[in-house]
Every structure is written in structure tokens, then in C-alpha cells.
Amino acid sequence: MSMSIRNQFPGTVTAVAVGEAMASVKVRLAGGQDITAAITTDAVKDLGLAAGSAVKALVKSTEVALATGPVDGISIRNQIAGTVADVTTGGAMGSVKVTVEGGELTAAITKDAIEALGLASGTSVVALIKSTEVSLAAA
């Protein structure tokens, strides 16, 4: 199935912590990074997720924030280091492609943020993704 979600990362479930309504699922991505998804317990059951399950982590580019370094004192646990590969800007928004271990991700952020952060090819960045914005699909 083709999707408009640009950020699709293959990985393997390493841990599942199930609560009454929500679950926290840790995934080791193909590039070696870990990412956490907060999904419903029903989704965990429907997908049959357990340690060792092959999955694809999906993140819309509009849900990826960028920082110029690791961020302390923040509730966002998914922080993936990378290097800007390409920047495209329009009147108000821009698209930033970031090379990470094992692949590439895209962040859709404002043109003002791109300029304020000085983002250009070769800039080191950290992609910030809330666990509630990570969806999982069975691979």
C-alpha cells in the first residue's frame, strides 16, 4: 500500500509495556536507533506485537521537530541524531531531509525555524518525535 507518510522505518519490537488503555512499544530501527511508540492496547493485540515482532514505524513529517543538539528537560523521548541532507523552502514552510543511521527522515517545519536554526546541508541536528505521534504497522 502506498502512503503519504514520508517517514517509514523498518524495525523490531524490543519491549512492550501494556496498560489498561495504552501501551508503550519500544522498537529497534534498522539503523540501530531506538524509538518508542505509544499506541492503544487494542492495537498491540490486533497487530500481535511482542518482543521480536517485525514492524514499520511511521511518522508524518509534520510531527518531526528539529533541534541543533540533544535536548534535556523535555518529555519527548525519541531523539534521533542526524545530518541535514537537503533543505527546500517555500513562502511559509520548508522541508528538511535528514540523513540518520540506516536511512533518511523528513521534517516539515516553518521557514522561520529553518532560518533561525541556520539549517543547511551538513548541519548536525536531532529529530524530536513524541511517542504518541509514532504509528506502527506489522511488517
Side-chain angles (χ1 to χ4, degrees):
M1 165 181 15
S2 295
M3 300 180 80
S4 64
I5 296 176
R6 298 293 85 191
N7 300 311
Q8 301 184 28
F9 306 103
T12 304
V13 174
T14 58
V16 180
V18 178
E20 280 194 42
M22 296 293 292
S24 175
V25 181
K26 292 188 180 194
V27 176
R28 172 73 38 93
L29 302 179
Q33 312 92 326
D34 291 316
I35 193 167
T36 300
I39 61 175
T40 65
T41 55
D42 286 342
V44 169
K45 291 175 191 170
D46 291 346
L47 294 171
L49 298 180
S53 298
V55 294
K56 192 174 278 192
L58 309 166
V59 182
K60 290 176 61 175
S61 60
T62 53
E63 301 303 332
V64 178
L66 296 176
T68 55
V71 181
D72 293 325
I74 190 169
S75 64
I76 298 173
R77 292 294 170 240
N78 295 317
Q79 297 192 28
I80 301 173
T83 303
V84 174
D86 186 50
V87 177
T88 305
T89 57
M93 295 294 294
S95 176
V96 181
K97 291 186 179 180
V98 178
T99 301
V100 298
E101 288 293 324
E104 185 176 83
L105 65 80
T106 301
I109 60 176
T110 65
K111 180 180 175 185
D112 290 345
I114 290 169
E115 292 171 357
L117 294 172
L119 300 181
S121 291
T123 304
S124 293
V125 293
V126 175
L128 306 168
I129 307 165
K130 290 179 64 171
S131 60
T132 53
E133 300 306 328
V134 178
S135 295
L136 297 177

